[in-house]
Amino acid sequence: SALLQRTRLRVGAARPRTIPPCRGPARAGAPARFQRPRGRVARAAPEDDREEPSRDELIAKLNKSLEGLDEPMDGEELKSLVMERWGRAYDTRICRRRDGLGAMRLYLQVMWKYLGQRSFPMTEERYDEQLGAVAELISEWGCADQIRKEIAECEKNPVLDTTGANAVMIALDIQDGQLGDF
């Protein structure tokens, strides 16, 4: 009767999942992943005699990890970089797009709109806030030196012409883990 109860299924009820019992030692020709370990498994002994690093060692380790970081960028520096390169205070944005291989990437866009243009949608204060926010993200992601270099070396110009609006796109070199946050 127990077997009969297990084999009957009510309509809409989920079938209980059973795990077959182990049937003795593995066959001699079975792959290693199906064989049981023989004997006792050796476990690492706890290390109670390990000393904690001193305060000076921790400070030295932290300073060493910070050596490779870029100098932070602010909105005024980003504005001056754009002005030096293109002669106008163009708007900048951070944009997330797929690259040619289908991977998601972050880009710095230098837009075709600029401060002082009659149709520019922002006030000067709002423009400075926007540049400050973009520069803060660039610094946080460790791309400040890359942006300084790429803006100076960029050959493209942001334009609005009869073919449409074209922004300058500068790909940011950031880690995949940071991309998910944006």
Side-chain angles (χ1 to χ4, degrees), residues 27-95:
R27 293 190 329 243
R33 65 181 181 201
F34 296 121
Q35 293 182 1
R36 288 190 212 159
R38 298 188 182 193
R40 292 182 61 180
V41 177
R43 295 185 184 186
E47 296 180 22
D48 295 335
D49 58 336
R50 189 183 340 167
E51 293 181 24
E52 291 193 23
S54 69
R55 182 176 183 270
D56 293 333
E57 290 171 347
L58 288 173
I59 291 172
K61 185 177 178 181
L62 181 61
N63 285 337
K64 187 176 181 180
S65 68
L66 294 176
E67 284 177 4
L69 294 180
D70 299 341
E71 191 68 32
M73 179 183 285
D74 61 355
E76 288 298 317
E77 181 183 2
L78 183 58
K79 184 177 181 179
S80 68
L81 286 170
V82 169
M83 286 288 291
E84 286 173 16
R85 170 61 189 91
W86 289 291
R88 292 189 171 146
Y90 285 106
D91 187 16
T92 59
R93 306 276 169 101
I94 300 290
C95 171

Side-chain angles (χ1 to χ4, degrees), residues 144-177:
D145 285 341
Q146 175 203 353
I147 293 301
R148 288 180 186 109
K149 179 183 172 204
E150 300 236 0
I151 286 179
E153 296 175 355
C154 186
E155 295 179 9
K156 297 180 182 179
N157 293 318
V159 293
L160 176 62
D161 58 12
T162 56
T163 61
N166 294 316
V168 174
M169 305 276 284
I170 300 172
L172 300 176
D173 294 331
I174 65 169
Q175 311 300 327
D176 288 336

Side-chain angles (χ1 to χ4, degrees), residues 92-96 106-108 134 137-138 141 172 182:
T92 59
R93 306 276 169 101
I94 300 290
C95 171
R96 182 177 169 172
L106 289 179
Y107 294 87
L108 172 69
V134 169
L137 285 172
I138 289 170
W141 292 329
L172 300 176
F182 186 73

